């Protein structure tokens, strides 16, 4: 047990949770290393939501609530870290929730769907088909779900699938702490923030935004600006790291 007084209590508890979820099969072993990469970038951000990330989160809320068919794509890490936050965002935005996995087995899909349902999410399941133009298992999705989405939120996404979804003409919103990843650079909108901080901010904004705010946010989206602000914040912290 980690004592609450430990300065890194929160991140150590998160690691314990992910390790437990890896043992039960919800998180893949590769997912654990992806989390480590995320942690490193969060360290550079000072483990807080920056002003530009908040702007990205409000823009995400505007896009999700204005969409014809919004979908939240959930993988093992996302379910392990934020099942309740996903359920809350689904309620706030009206989006479908669908599981999509890189290391896919029917058993893992079932486990993750059960975890999401026990957190209160209404999971869209049923017959999956190989519908996305990818040569690995992330190609599997549902015709009436992700395949038909116009706006899709992809927390902790892989670059290949992000590119494929953009090529299919979808508006892709990524949550990724690494502003240099292919996902971050290819997505329509990138939120450079930690998943469990980002999701509640998006939900809050779904409730708060007026129609006028939504129009203004979507029309003024500039992802290059959002990414360069994230890099500037990290560089700034590094420049003063030894002060
Ligand atoms: P890409 O394929 O997009 O070039 P990658 O191969 O470097 O990226 P992946 O493993 O495909 O990385 O995707 C995982 C991404 O999720 C990483 O960029 C990591 O920084 C990010 N990440 C991990 N944990 C979190 C988290 N809790 N919150 C936000 N982002 C995270
Ligand atoms: Mg990748």
């Amino acid at each position: 047990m980690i004592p609450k007084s430990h300065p890194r209590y929160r991140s150590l508890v998160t690691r314990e949770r992910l390790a437990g979820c890896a043992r039960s099969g919800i998180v893949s072993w590769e997912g654990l290393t992806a989390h480590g990469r995320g942690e490193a970038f969060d360290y550079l951000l000072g483990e807080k939501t920056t002003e530009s990330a908040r702007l990205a989160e409000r823009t995400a809320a505007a896009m999700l609530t204005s969409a014809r068919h919004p979908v939240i794509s959930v993988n093992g890490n996302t379910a392990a870290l934020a099942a309740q936050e996903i359920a809350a965002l689904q309620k706030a935005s009206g989006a479908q929730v669908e599981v999509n996995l890189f290391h896919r087995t029917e058993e893992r899909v079932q486990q993750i769907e059960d975890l999401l349902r026990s957190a209160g999410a209404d999971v869209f399941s049923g017959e999956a088909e190989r519908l996305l133009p990818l040569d690995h298992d992330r190609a599997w999705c549902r015709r009436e779900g992700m395949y038909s989405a116009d706006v899709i939120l992809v927390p902790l996404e892989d670059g290949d699938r992000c590119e494929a979804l953009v090529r299919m003409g979808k508006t892709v919103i990524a949550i990724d702490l690494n502003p240099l990843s292919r996902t971050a650079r290819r997505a329509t909108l990138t939120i450079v923030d930690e998943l469990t901080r980002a999701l509640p901010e998006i939900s809050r904004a779904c409730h708060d935004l007026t129609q006028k705010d939504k129009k203004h946010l979507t029309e003024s989206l500039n992802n290059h600006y959002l990414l360069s602000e994230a890099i500037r914040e990290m560089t700034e912290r590094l420049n003063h790291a030894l002060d």
Side-chain angles (χ1 to χ4, degrees), residues 5-217:
S5 55
H6 195 290
R8 304 204 55 75
Y9 176 77
R10 226 178 99 87
S11 79
L12 294 174
V13 167
T14 303
R15 281 186 191 176
E16 264 186 10
R17 168 137 34 99
L18 281 170
C21 286
R23 281 189 286 271
S24 67
I26 285 175
V27 167
S28 66
W29 301 115
E30 293 81 354
L32 293 181
T33 64
H35 181 75
R37 175 171 288 179
E39 278 184 340
F41 280 100
D42 204 20
Y43 206 91
L44 297 179
L45 272 183
E47 295 173 326
K48 60 174 180 11
T49 301
T50 63
E51 221 172 283
S52 56
R54 208 175 306 274
L55 171 63
E57 283 148 3
R58 286 167 61 78
T59 310
M63 287 170 144
L64 286 169
T65 52
S66 312
R68 171 181 54 77
H69 183 165
V71 170
I72 306 170
S73 173
V74 178
N75 63 12
N77 279 41
T78 301
L81 291 173
Q84 278 171 6
E85 290 85 346
I86 291 286
L89 178 58
Q90 173 174 47
K91 285 193 182 71
S93 67
Q96 257 179 349
V97 169
E98 185 178 343
V99 173
N100 180 274
L101 303 178
F102 198 98
H103 301 281
R104 182 191 173 92
T105 62
E106 277 311 317
E107 193 195 346
R108 266 196 87 210
V109 172
Q110 194 61 55
Q111 266 183 300
I112 294 169
E113 289 182 350
D114 289 348
L115 175 62
L116 289 166
R117 287 196 178 106
S118 68
D122 179 9
V123 183
F124 185 71
S125 55
E127 196 70 19
E129 300 170 62
R130 248 200 123 86
L131 293 170
L132 306 182
L134 290 168
D135 57 11
H136 48 70
D137 283 352
R138 298 209 80 169
W140 287 87
C141 68
R142 279 90 183 181
R143 194 172 286 278
E144 305 304 328
M146 229 168 261
Y147 183 69
S148 311
D150 58 341
V151 176
I152 176 159
L153 175 69
V154 290
L156 324 186
E157 185 55 75
D158 166 66
D160 280 355
R161 199 171 77 108
C162 178
E163 278 179 355
L165 293 169
V166 169
R167 259 188 277 117
M168 288 170 81
K170 299 186 190 302
T171 295
V172 178
I173 305 169
I175 301 176
D176 192 334
L177 278 159
N178 176 4
L180 307 172
S181 76
R182 250 176 335 136
T183 300
R185 286 181 292 125
R186 296 288 180 274
T188 318
L189 165 65
T190 307
I191 298 167
V192 183
D193 199 5
E194 204 281 322
L195 177 73
T196 61
R197 294 196 303 266
L199 293 173
E201 279 297 326
I202 307 173
S203 295
R204 214 180 338 270
C206 285
H207 292 298
D208 292 350
L209 295 177
T210 64
Q211 285 304 330
K212 199 168 153 221
D213 294 333
K214 290 182 193 177
K215 189 168 181 302
H216 174 70
L217 284 164

